[in-house]
Amino acid sequence: MTDARPGYGSPSVSSIGVPMVEARRVQKSYGRLEVLKGIDMTVGRGEVLCLIGPSGSGKSTFLRCINHLEKIDGGELAVDGDLVGYRQGGDKLYELKDNEVCAKRAEIGMVFQRFNLFPHMSVLDNVTSGPVWVKKAPGGPSKDRARELLARVGLADKVANYPNQLSGGQQQRVAIARALAMDPKLMLFDEPTSALDPELVGDVLDVMRDLARDGMTMIVVTHEMGFAREVGDTVVFMDGGVVVEQGDPTEVLTNPQHERTKSFLAKVL
């Protein structure tokens, strides 16, 4: 799906028609434990795909494979038409060098369950760290951009604070602003609200709704079924390392076809 909305995910001429993420028979094992057993999945530009399923189903592992925090053991995985972690030369695959992997990873924002902010740095410095350290961007413009992003996530008055002076919800919103400061083409969210007190969840989800409205391509591992139904373009239910069911959020969440999906939703809805 090509996105025509302003803000994010505007495709270049060469990339029109190319999915933002495409997985074909993706496999991942840890020793004898097979975590991903042949995942096929396509995410279009500007699409919000929500991954749901029980703990241990492979959702977070798949997310980490997309930005090469984990190396796949089989299949193919591509972001914006480029193989993740590899380049193709003729009929052979060559593993990318570490600096090449880091350059590709910098194009993908990731927000974790835990906020992973630098505790010794102010909120403003946390958000500018990526552009300044990774992209070698000038400090002045990077700070201006950081202030804009912090205002966008409702934290314009917290630029001088340190992480331990913020609530969990505020820290997570700083983490989102930090990811956005890198101008990513894709955002990955790994259960971004699971570590938050219930009353703090709404502020984080509001920021994510705003990103979706602006056309950011997002893959969200979540247990927030209301968010998945409202914001998601596609819901994928995973269990045991495979895709069990996928489709329109309303259809999957209210009229699941697979017995395993029905059993899972009966417990969480």
Side-chain angles (χ1 to χ4, degrees):
M1 169 176 87
T2 300
D3 192 279
R5 290 172 289 179
Y8 297 101
S10 299
S12 64
V13 173
S14 62
S15 64
I16 290 175
V18 176
M20 182 59 75
V21 178
E22 188 164 18
R24 297 178 182 174
R25 306 176 303 281
V26 169
Q27 300 172 358
K28 176 65 184 176
S29 298
Y30 299 101
R32 295 183 178 180
L33 178 62
E34 192 176 10
V35 180
L36 300 177
K37 303 175 183 178
I39 300 296
D40 291 307
M41 200 177 301
T42 301
V43 184
R45 297 171 187 279
E47 182 177 354
V48 178
L49 183 143
C50 293
L51 281 174
I52 65 172
S55 298
S57 59
K59 307 183 303 296
S60 295
T61 297
F62 179 65
L63 216 62
R64 292 172 65 85
C65 288
I66 292 173
N67 67 355
H68 208 52
L69 289 173
E70 301 285 355
K71 187 187 300 185
I72 66 174
D73 297 317
E76 292 183 354
L77 185 56
V79 172
D80 199 17
D82 294 327
L83 292 174
V84 174
Y86 299 89
R87 60 180 173 83
Q88 188 147 8
D91 57 353
K92 293 184 179 181
L93 289 180
Y94 299 90
E95 191 165 2
L96 297 180
K97 298 176 181 178
D98 287 346
N99 64 325
E100 294 174 308
V101 170
C102 289
K104 290 294 185 181
R105 189 178 292 142
E107 299 176 344
I108 303 171
M110 187 159 185
V111 178
F112 300 87
Q113 295 178 38
R114 297 291 174 180
F115 323 120
N116 294 341
L117 300 179
F118 298 114
H120 63 289
M121 294 169 57
S122 70
V123 164
L124 184 64
D125 288 341
N126 262 282
V127 177
T128 58
S129 60
V132 171
W133 294 351
V134 178
K135 289 189 168 183
K136 309 302 181 185
S142 295
K143 288 186 176 182
D144 291 340
R145 172 67 171 153
R147 290 188 180 95
E148 292 176 5
L149 291 169
L150 288 166
R152 178 174 185 177
V153 300
L155 296 173
D157 60 337
K158 302 295 183 182
V159 293
N161 288 66
Y162 286 80
N164 66 1
Q165 297 173 312
L166 304 178
S167 70
Q170 290 171 331
Q171 290 186 59
Q172 193 62 295
R173 283 184 280 156
V174 173
I176 294 172
R178 182 176 63 179
L180 292 175
M182 296 292 287
D183 294 321
K185 61 177 68 175
L186 168 68
M187 284 286 288
L188 309 176
F189 293 87
D190 189 5
E191 297 189 31
T193 61
S194 64
L196 303 180
D197 292 333
E199 66 268 22
L200 302 176
V201 168
D203 290 339
V204 173
L205 294 181
D206 284 344
V207 171
M208 295 169 65
R209 288 186 185 94
D210 186 47
L211 289 176
R213 281 192 293 267
D214 277 357
M216 173 62 79
T217 309
M218 298 160 56
I219 303 177
V220 185
V221 174
T222 185
H223 293 295
E224 300 289 341
M225 299 301 158
F227 175 87
R229 183 186 294 111
E230 175 193 350
V231 181
D233 296 297
T234 304
V235 164
V236 174
F237 173 64
M238 288 181 62
D239 188 33
V242 300
V243 172
V244 176
E245 190 166 346
Q246 63 181 310
D248 177 85
T250 301
E251 187 66 21
V252 172
L253 296 176
T254 62
N255 187 31
Q257 300 301 301
H258 198 283
E259 289 302 321
R260 183 65 188 95
T261 316
K262 294 177 183 178
S263 173
F264 173 78
L265 292 174
K267 295 175 181 178
V268 300
L269 289 177

